[in-house]
Amino acid sequence: MEANVAQTLQFSAWIPSEKAVWRPSGSALVSRKLKENRKLQALVSARFPTVKASNRHRNVAFEVSCSYKNFPGSVLESESYQAPLDENLLLNKNSERVKPYLNGRCIYLVGMMGSGKTTVGKILSQVLGYSFSDSDTLVEHEAGGISVAEIFNHHGEGFFRAKETEVLQKLSLMNHFVVSTGGGAVIRNINWDYMQTGVSVWLDVPLKALARRIAAVGTGSRPLLKHETGDVYNKTLMRLSSLFEQRGESYAKANARVSLKDIAAKLGQRDVCDLTPTAIAIEALEKIDDFLKEEKEG
């Protein structure tokens, strides 16, 4: 289930004249006029070589033709540049490759709080033509419209977990949904029974990055992270570490694992927080594709 991508792009751009390397063609008059200008307007034609859709960065050859007023100009020598393949193009290519094999099955995103399940889930649902659902939001609706934090305060975690299981049971009977699950949904085996009717995907984010994200927006809406005043980042990191010790093995049960650390390494980025949600969604589709291929072969 691999796809090849080949594309030609054309666009107008201003290029510094000193960067131009001219082939021996065109009139001398045109060449002088072009050289007198610091910049010249060029029509850029970039031919992308045929590559695997999973390759997000590669060299592309540009053949550039230039014009000055009404005079045709020479053609710049071909040059190679490092350029990122457009994320939306890859996202759509990957989704088209996966759709026939998903056959309408739901996608369940699991992972720690703050891992981006809702944001990535909405991107996946849009590109796949699925509906999106957040299990926490559904639990809030089932509880009369109060927030998760209020459910924990008024009814306790046990009540919340029971409602969460009810929600997942209902979703397991549906098709064409991307579901963002709560961070603790994985701790109940029965929830896995429901999620295995679809494809489960673990968004694996380094704990330090999670702590930075959560500390930046506050912990008020996250009942399992409430703590007294002090160093919010360190306290959040300690609590997340404790939760991950309890849940790590459960997250690993997912059909596919999307490691933000691995994505950053592929793209040459040092900080996983600099990754775009689209880049993560692209990787998720690739991992889903790998799982479906193995499932079919097995």
Side-chain angles (χ1 to χ4, degrees):
M1 287 188 279
E2 293 182 346
N4 290 331
V5 178
Q7 187 179 25
T8 299
L9 298 179
Q10 286 190 330
F11 55 92
S12 179
W14 288 94
I15 297 177
S17 59
E18 66 272 12
K19 299 294 185 182
V21 181
W22 300 97
R23 290 178 181 171
S25 61
S27 69
L29 175 62
V30 172
S31 295
R32 283 199 304 271
K33 285 184 176 293
L34 287 172
K35 289 179 180 179
E36 287 171 0
N37 289 274
R38 293 184 178 180
K39 292 185 177 180
L40 55 92
Q41 192 167 23
L43 179 65
V44 181
S45 177
R47 175 68 180 176
F48 291 78
T50 300
V51 295
K52 289 183 180 179
S54 59
N55 290 349
R56 298 175 206 169
H57 291 78
R58 68 273 187 271
N59 290 333
V60 293
F62 286 86
E63 186 175 79
V64 183
S65 62
C66 305
S67 63
Y68 178 75
K69 295 183 179 179
N70 294 323
F71 297 96
S74 303
V75 178
L76 286 169
E77 292 182 353
S78 295
E79 189 90 29
S80 289
Y81 298 88
Q82 189 73 12
L85 183 63
D86 181 74
E87 285 186 338
N88 288 326
L89 175 64
L90 258 182
L91 185 69
N92 282 285
K93 287 289 182 181
N94 285 359
S95 69
E96 290 302 317
R97 189 171 69 224
V98 165
K99 279 180 186 178
Y101 300 94
L102 269 175
N103 197 29
R105 291 160 67 181
C106 291
I107 296 173
Y108 295 90
L109 299 179
V110 303
M112 294 285 285
M113 62 185 80
S115 59
K117 299 185 294 290
T118 296
T119 303
V120 173
K122 289 179 178 179
I123 294 173
L124 290 174
S125 66
Q126 183 176 17
V127 76
L128 291 169
Y130 275 29
S131 297
F132 173 78
S133 182
D134 185 308
S135 66
D136 281 355
T137 301
L138 293 177
V139 170
E140 290 174 341
H141 177 75
E142 292 288 326
I146 62 176
S147 69
V148 171
E150 291 173 316
I151 294 172
F152 270 71
N153 287 335
H154 298 154
H155 304 288
E157 184 176 356
F159 176 87
F160 173 84
R161 297 299 174 199
K163 288 294 183 183
E164 184 175 56
T165 296
E166 290 177 15
V167 163
L168 290 173
Q169 189 271 334
K170 292 176 183 178
L171 288 168
S172 71
L173 303 176
M174 301 180 183
N175 292 315
H176 298 94
F177 267 88
V178 176
V179 181
S180 169
T181 67
V186 297
I187 62 178
R188 282 191 166 193
N189 288 330
I190 191 171
N191 291 346
W192 281 108
D193 292 339
Y194 296 138
M195 290 191 287
Q196 292 302 339
T197 60
V199 179
S200 53
V201 181
W202 172 24
L203 299 187
D204 184 9
V205 184
L207 295 181
K208 290 182 179 180
L210 287 178
R212 292 208 320 266
R213 287 182 186 177
I214 295 170
V217 298
T219 60
S221 64
R222 303 186 184 277
L224 294 181
L225 290 183
K226 280 191 173 181
H227 42 246
E228 302 299 325
T229 58
D231 187 336
V232 177
Y233 168 78
N234 282 319
K235 288 188 175 182
T236 299
L237 180 58
M238 289 177 62
R239 182 58 178 146
L240 288 174
S241 298
S242 176
L243 288 172
F244 187 77
E245 285 182 10
Q246 302 169 28
R247 303 173 179 176
E249 291 184 1
S250 296
Y251 289 136
K253 294 179 182 179
N255 300 131
R257 172 177 172 260
V258 176
S259 166
L260 269 66
K261 187 176 179 180
D262 289 349
I263 302 173
K266 287 182 185 179
L267 301 182
Q269 296 190 20
R270 295 181 179 179
D271 190 343
V272 299
C273 292
D274 293 332
L275 294 173
T276 66
T278 301
I280 299 168
I282 289 169
E283 183 78 2
L285 288 170
E286 291 179 1
K287 295 299 184 181
I288 291 170
D289 182 52
D290 290 342
F291 165 71
L292 294 173
K293 181 167 64 175
E294 291 177 4
E295 184 181 57
K296 183 179 179 180
E297 292 175 351

